Every structure is written in C-alpha cells, then in structure tokens.
DNA sequence: AAATTATACAACCGCACGTTC
DNA sequence: CGAACGTGCGGTTGTATAATT
C-alpha cells in the first residue's frame, strides 16, 4: 500500500508538485531567494538519503537550513515532517498492535485530538500515524453506527468527572488547576485515570449515568455543541472563544459579554458558570425538578444550532445505539430510556437556543472529549425523556423495560445521521455515545461478532 | 474484467506559539 | 514593543491500493 519512494519518482515531479512562484506560503512551498523552486509531493529515496545525511551531520532542528546546506529542494516544514514521520530512527512501522490500539483509545478518551501528546505515549509512533488511524477508525465506526469508545472508557470518563467535581467542590479555588490549564491544559494527571483502571471493574453501569442530572448534562453538552461535539478536552481559551463566536455569530454580543472572565474558567470549577443558569453540577438529585431548556438534541449534536431539515428517506438500517443486548451490561442500556420520539426531536429543532447555552461554554478543568461525548449523549436522552414526558400521551416515552419501537428507532437514527457532524468523533457518534457505554450486540459492520460482546475485563475490543 | 467505492497513508496547509532581533 | 523567523500541531487533501459490485 505504501507508495514506494525511489528515484524513478523524480519523474513524478509534475508541474503542480512544484510550487508556482505565485504561490507563496509564509513558511513553505515558496521559491527561495535564489529563485529555487521547492518541490512538493512524495519524497524520493534520494531526497530521504540527503535528509538523513543532513540530520546525521547537523542534527535535528533548523529545518529551514536544510535546503541551504544540503541542496534539498524542500522547505523546512516538509523536511521536518519527513524526518519525524518516516526517517527518524526507532520508528515503528506497520499496523498498530492491540496494545497500541488500546492505548490510542484510552489516550484519546483522555486527551481528545492531541495527537502529538498521544504519540509521546506510543514510542515509535507518530502523531500523523495516530491521527490517521483514529480518523479512519472514526469513519469506519461512524459509518457502522458503532461506538467509538468501549464502555469502560466511558465509565472512566464519568468517574473522572465525578472525581473532578468532588475535588472542585472541596477546593473551589485550586491554584493548581489554574496552572494546569494554563500550562498544560490537556494533561490529565495519570493518577486520576489510573484510579479508574483500578475501580472500573467494580463499577456498575446503571449507577454511572443515571445519576447525572439533565441540567448538568445539558450544560456540559453545550460545551461540546460548540466545539463540534468533540473538540479536544481543553482548548485554548481564546481559540475556543473565537470559535464560539464563529459558530454563533448572532449571539456574539451575548456570548462575549456574558462569558465569565477566563480566570473563572481556568480557575477551577465550572460550577461558577453553571450557577447563573440555575443548573447544578454534576449530580442533580432530582433531574426532573428543573425543567431543562428545550433546545434541540440534534441541533446540539451537530455542534451548532442548525435547523436544517432532515432528508426524507435517509433512514439508517442499523441501530446499535438503541439496542439492548442481553449481556451483563444490558442493564446499563435498559436503565436509560434511549428512544427519542421524533416529536420530541422536532420540538427541539424549533426551540431556539437559549443564550445561556452559549454562556455555558465553560471548560471543564479536566474535561475530555469522551466525557463531553458521553454527557452530550446523556443530555440528549434526558432531554428527550423530559420532552416526551411533557407531551405525555402522544410521545413514545419508553420505559427502560419497554420494547423499543422500531419505527421510532429508525426515525431517531435518521435524525442522528442528519444532524450529526460527520467528522467529529462525537458528531456522528452522538447517537452512539450512549452505545459506547452500551454493549453492542454482535451485529456490527466492521467488527466480528466475537468481539462485540466482551466481558468487562476485556476492556478494549479490537475495533 | 472493468468500474466503482472504500481504505490507508503521506503530505500539505494554516495557524499558534515561542524565540530572536 | 513588535516584526520576523522557526517550529510544532491539528485539520485536510490527494492518491495508491484493496475491496466490492
């Protein structure tokens, strides 16, 4: 599969692989001072040899000097990338091992799309490699309607959330958090994650999510709704704010003016931010006591408040997120009313997003993409439940023990498909985030049945 | 066997950040 | 203090190959 890089590839140097002088990237792909045209496209083995030789002599770094000193017609960026991804020693080639895959899943749940950070935990692997792996995996699983994370990872995230909240409440002004967020915003102390490992086996699924209040989830999910559902756990605040403005241009004034100062975000707890909206965090003892704002589940799913119409007939056949397999984990699924009535969904679409929703774009001190996904999903479910309850008779509120109406399922799935972000890990998987915590019966497209139902001890199934 | 589609991978691009001048 | 530069990161694109129709 890998493209061979040999000298014959020099002939591949097509016109468009050489930058036109009119193309002038600030750092790469430009003509050099002496009118040298830098090459683009696949590297040849000759170029590789030159680069390797250069690094041997001069060491890594100062990549822009490579072209000057080695005669390589490549920009520094390209050289660095080639070296880092293909030429540097101790690079592992070939498919990821199961252990590596497990690590990637775990790390992604922990860090989000921080490929370089993840690569640091996987010796011999590059960020690009991991990114490619993850993206293809996402596509595959999204296409199949499968969860991205194994249930245990969801539990870990939830537990982590719980622990985080506890610590936040105990020490509401934790300077360490401030430092953590500013310095290394996505580095979650391993001790927390390790703790999950230690406790995950003792956790029961039913106890995990149902304790999460609707309001809390709601608030949480609005974070993800802005970050395309599954942005890295902690984005640079200015960047996130900027993006929020981009996503909600019409709300700019409200957003920026209503947002608490960054210090509040960074400081420690989101509770400060949640409180103004009357939302508790994280465990509302009575989720139904507070009527959550009625804004759309799938409008949020999409990472924006799109009100685009569903495409008629786009009904997905497989409904893994709504299955209730008869496994040990089945109680997890049945403990939560999964089905969302179409009516409820429609109601959501029509409801405008409250301004407060944007305000709630707080950053969990140690949030993770997974957590967002999980909470997002739970919120959707809870909201749907509430909506359905409001509409009582006409809605298909399904109790945990009820058999899911297949027509509803299809419709719901259609909605998910329609409004989910095809790119973001949560986007598509929002519908299946829950199923990420819900064991999937062996009817997946890309997983052999034998891998679908695994004992809890088998934390990560091969995907 | 040809056409189409899916997958995997390499490379590019734009942006952000830190350092230097 | 601000511009220029170097570097790193994450997102995206392009394409060869495999799989499917």
């Amino acid at each position: 599969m890998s493209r061979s890089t040999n000298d014959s590839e020099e002939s591949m140097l097509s016109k468009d692989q050489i930058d036109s002088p009119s193309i002038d990237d600030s750092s790469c792909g430009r003509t050099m001072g002496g009118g040298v045209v830098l090459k683009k496209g696949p590297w040849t083995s000759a170029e590789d040899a030159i680069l390797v030789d250069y690094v041997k002599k001069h060491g890594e770094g100062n990549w822009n000097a490579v072209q000057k000193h080695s005669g390589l017609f490549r920009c520094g960026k390209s050289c660095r990338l080639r070296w880092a991804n293909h030429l540097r020693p101790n690079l592992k080639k070939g498919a990821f091992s199961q252990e590596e895959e497990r690590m990637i899943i775990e790390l992604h749940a922990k860090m989000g799309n921080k490929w370089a950070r993840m690569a640091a935990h996987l010796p011999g692997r590059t960020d690009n490699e991991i990114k490619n792996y993850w993206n293809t995996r996402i596509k595959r699983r999204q296409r199949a309607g499968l969860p991205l994370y194994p249930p245990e990872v969801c539990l870990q995230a939830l537990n982590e959330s719980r622990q985080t909240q506890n610590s936040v409440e105990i020490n509401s002004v934790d300077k360490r958090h401030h430092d953590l967020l500013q310095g290394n915003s996505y580095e979650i102390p391993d001790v927390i994650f390790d703790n999950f490992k230690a406790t995950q086996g003792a956790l029961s699924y039913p106890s995990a999510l149902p304790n999460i209040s609707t309001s809390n989830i709601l608030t949480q999910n609005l974070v993800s709704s802005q970050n395309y559902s599954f942005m890295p756990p902690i984005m640079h605040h200015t960047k996130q704010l900027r993006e929020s403005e981009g996503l909600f241009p019409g709300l700019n004034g409200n957003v920026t003016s209503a947002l608490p100062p960054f210090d509040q975000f960074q400081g420690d707890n989101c509770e400060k931010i949640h409180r103004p909206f009357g939302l508790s965090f994280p465990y509302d003892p009575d989720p139904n006591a507070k009527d959550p704002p009625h804004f759309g589940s799938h409008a949020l799913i999409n990472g924006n408040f799109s009100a685009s119409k569903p495409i008629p007939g786009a009904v997905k056949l497989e409904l893994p997120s709504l299955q209730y397999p008869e496994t040990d984990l089945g109680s997890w699924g049945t403990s939560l009313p999964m089905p969302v009535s179409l009516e409820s969904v429609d109601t959501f679409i029509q409801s405008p997003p409250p301004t407060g929703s944007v305000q709630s774009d707080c950053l969990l001190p140690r949030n993770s993409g997974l957590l967002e996904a999980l909470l997002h999903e739970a919120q959707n479910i809870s909201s749907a439940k509430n909506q359905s309850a409001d509409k009582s008779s006409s809605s298909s509120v399904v109790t945990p023990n009820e058999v899911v109406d297949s027509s509803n399922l299809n419709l719901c799935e259609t909605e998910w498909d329609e409004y989910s972000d095809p790119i973001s890990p949560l986007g598509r998987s929002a519908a299946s985030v829950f199923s990420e915590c819900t064991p999937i019966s062996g009817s997946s497209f890309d997983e052999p049945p034998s891998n679908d139902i695994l004992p809890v001890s088998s934390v990560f199934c091969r995907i």
Side-chain angles (χ1 to χ4, degrees), chain A residues 361-410:
Chain A
D361 181 25
C362 69
L363 303 173
L364 274 175
R366 275 175 282 184
N367 197 0
S368 71
L370 168 62
L371 181 58
E372 286 184 17
L374 191 58
L375 293 173
H376 192 157
E377 172 66 10
Q379 182 261 322
N380 288 324
I381 291 159
S382 298
S383 296
K385 181 183 178 182
N386 289 338
Q387 287 288 318
S388 299
D390 290 344
K391 294 177 177 291
S392 63
S393 60
S394 61
S395 298
S396 56
V397 178
V398 181
T399 63
N401 292 329
E402 280 179 328
V403 176
V404 177
D405 181 278
S406 61
S407 61
N408 275 343
L409 293 183
N410 286 337

Side-chain angles (χ1 to χ4, degrees), chain A residues 59-71:
Chain A
E60 297 182 44
N62 201 12
W63 296 109
N64 284 333
V66 175
Q67 193 273 331
K68 296 176 193 166
H69 296 139
S70 68

Side-chain angles (χ1 to χ4, degrees), chain A residues 222-330:
Chain A
L222 290 167
V223 176
S224 60
S225 75
Q226 275 191 272
N227 294 334
Y228 295 100
S229 305
F230 209 79
M231 292 297 285
I234 307 294
M235 181 188 292
H236 192 273
H237 304 311
T238 55
K239 181 179 177 183
Q240 191 164 28
L241 184 60
R242 186 168 58 247
E243 291 189 0
S244 72
E245 293 168 358
L247 283 168
F248 304 98
L251 298 172
N252 265 356
N254 291 338
V255 173
T256 52
S257 63
L259 278 172
F262 284 149
D263 285 348
Q264 288 190 21
F265 292 110
Q266 295 170 338
D268 32 295
N269 64 60
C270 290
E271 194 177 15
K272 290 179 188 173
I273 299 123
H274 290 175
R275 277 175 178 157
F277 316 118
L279 303 176
S280 64
F281 181 85
Y283 303 114
D284 188 336
D286 182 10
N288 294 324
K290 300 186 181 77
D291 194 25
H294 292 176
F295 43 87
S297 55
H298 53 294
L300 292 173
I301 294 161
N302 201 17
N304 56 43
F305 292 103
S306 167
S308 61
K309 291 176 133 184
I311 299 172
V315 177
K316 219 171 184 310
L317 295 177
E318 52 189 347
L319 302 162
S321 65
L322 298 176
Q323 292 171 341
Y324 296 132
E326 295 177 358
T327 67
D328 290 345
L329 305 177

